[in-house]
Amino acid sequence: RPSLAGDITADIAIVGAGYTGLWTAYYLLRQQPDLRLVVIDANVAGFGASGRNGGWCSALLPTSLSTIVKRSGRDAAIAWQRQMFATVKEVGDVAALEGIDCDFQLGGTVQLARSEPQLGRAHDEVADARSWGFTQEDVRFLDQAQARAQANATDVSGGVFTAHCAALHPARLVRGLALSV
């Protein structure tokens, strides 16, 4: 057991009180409540990027599923995307369970198409999602009227709605998470 400072002794020390460190601490303590765990940071929890991000909790991947397939196979790519969908919901569930007032609002995200090429890409994106087994509940095409109604925007031809995205207050979430561990 590492001795950290003075008479603090821990089974595990996590360096960094951002989202990565705090979510790790949260789930370790849920699995082993008697674990002696300490989270160390040079400043307050979420002082860096975790407390200053744009306030989105999104299941959008930083790469294509086709790229993931090349390394891990089709089943792994689909599982990864489904896990990302579940993670957005999990963040909201934990915030509610722990009483973290972070203004979590699961409302999805809309990509608008304002030109024929963008409209074609919107159709292609939805068709691609279907080819991976994702449904209307995950990703759906918006016609012109639906896109206008969804985003209150003008000069749109259509769009894509992705259900697995939430808005939240990042600093409140990270500080609330710190208080819960």
Side-chain angles (χ1 to χ4, degrees):
R1 296 183 205 272
S3 179
L4 301 171
D7 41 340
I8 300 173
T9 304
D11 297 314
I12 295 179
I14 295 175
V15 178
Y19 286 135
T20 302
L22 291 171
W23 283 114
T24 300
Y26 183 84
Y27 285 106
L28 283 171
L29 289 169
R30 291 316 163 276
Q31 290 178 3
Q32 279 187 275
D34 60 337
L35 188 66
R36 294 184 306 171
L37 183 144
V38 64
V39 179
I40 304 164
D41 201 287
N43 215 310
V44 298
F47 178 78
S50 293
R52 302 175 192 200
N53 68 48
W56 295 107
C57 182
S58 170
L60 299 175
L61 294 172
T63 189
S64 70
L65 291 174
S66 297
T67 299
I68 299 168
V69 166
K70 291 175 188 172
R71 289 190 153 193
S72 304
R74 183 177 173 86
D75 291 344
I78 293 168
W80 187 9
Q81 182 65 78
R82 290 200 188 284
Q83 189 59 50
M84 291 293 291
F85 292 165
T87 297
V88 173
K89 182 181 179 313
E90 176 74 3
V91 170
D93 290 349
V94 169
L97 177 70
E98 298 296 339
I100 300 171
D101 182 16
C102 64
D103 299 327
F104 184 91
Q105 294 294 318
L106 182 63
T109 188
V110 176
Q111 296 170 332
L112 297 175
R114 293 184 177 267
S115 67
E116 284 304 312
Q118 289 176 345
L119 190 62
R121 285 191 296 273
H123 280 290
D124 292 347
E125 182 178 337
V126 173
D128 186 58
R130 295 296 172 275
S131 76
W132 293 98
F134 302 115
T135 69
Q136 286 275 107
E137 298 300 314
D138 302 312
V139 178
R140 69 178 175 268
F141 180 78
L142 302 174
D143 64 24
Q144 185 178 45
Q146 293 167 325
R148 284 183 180 165
Q150 186 82 358
N152 195 23
T154 59
D155 299 324
V156 297
S157 307
V160 176
F161 176 78
T162 305
H164 307 285
C165 186
L168 54 80
H169 190 297
R172 287 182 181 175
L173 175 61
V174 74
R175 299 224 171 88
L177 193 56
L179 291 171
S180 73
V181 294

